[in-house]
Amino acid sequence: EDQVTQSPEALRLQEGESSSLNCSYTVSGLRGLFWYRQDPGKGPEFLFTLYSAGEEKEKERLKATLTKKESFLHITAPKPEDSATYLCAVQAKVSGGYNKLIFGAGTRLAVHP
Amino acid sequence: GAGVSQSPSNKVTEKGKDVELRCDPISGHTALYWYRQRLGQGLEFLIYFQGNSAPDKSGLPSDRFSAERTGESVSTLTIQRTQQEDSAVYLCASSPDRDNYEQYFGPGTRLTVT
């Protein structure tokens, strides 16, 4: 069964304290791995897509990496405005070729000044 | 440009009533998705529309749930005879086509069944 597991469930950081969020997945026929940011009361906001092991993407203080079994979202010198829930999702090939995302439960990040 | 919009933003209904949720995708996006997000949990896929193809309904939790889409525009998600366990945020997303994997989400409708 296709599955996505994110850890930790919650993470508290001091401003400037770098860390990493983990997304482990088991999926047959990975077509892409996605990172989203979700602020309270809002829909998820797209951050990155990774397609193959070894790929890396960067955006401001965030860098996403991908291996054959997991992805990491590295946060360098975080600021309070980086506080949000970070969601990981994988896109697997399903019958009929439909693009269905399978989401993890997310990591709630709180960055304190 | 305009993003995905959803209405209403909040809906409180009594158990047993029917509700209808609306999604306006980004103009030109052929793919449209509905997800459910229970408190503190990840997103649960419900249904997927791609152009004029038959929708993928594999995620609908029961026959009380149904969705329609007119062409490549507005979609409505209907929940009949609502139950308390239907309380959740219902999110809609769209993407340019079936081969573009990036999905753009609306703000969601928070449904509370009392």
Side-chain angles (χ1 to χ4, degrees), chain A residues 31-32 34 36 38 40-46 49 51 85 87 91 94-106 108, chain B residues 33 35 37 40-45 48 50 53-56 58-59 91 97-108 110:
Chain A
R31 303 185 80 176
F34 301 80
Y36 285 84
Q38 187 173 26
K42 296 187 177 181
E45 175 189 346
F46 171 78
T49 309
Y51 292 106
T85 295
L87 298 170
Q91 194 152 43
V94 295
S95 61
Y98 294 128
N99 297 328
K100 183 163 63 179
L101 289 182
I102 302 165
F103 280 84
R108 294 188 310 279
Chain B
Y33 309 77
Y35 294 89
Q37 186 175 32
Q41 298 186 20
L43 278 68
E44 175 189 4
F45 168 80
Y48 162 59
Q50 172 59 49
S53 302
D56 176 4
S58 61
L91 289 157
D97 57 53
R98 69 186 295 161
D99 293 324
N100 185 305
Y101 304 152
E102 295 173 14
Q103 298 182 17
Y104 297 87
F105 284 82
R110 180 175 299 278

Side-chain angles (χ1 to χ4, degrees), chain B residues 3 46 64:
Chain B
L46 296 177
R64 295 187 296 104

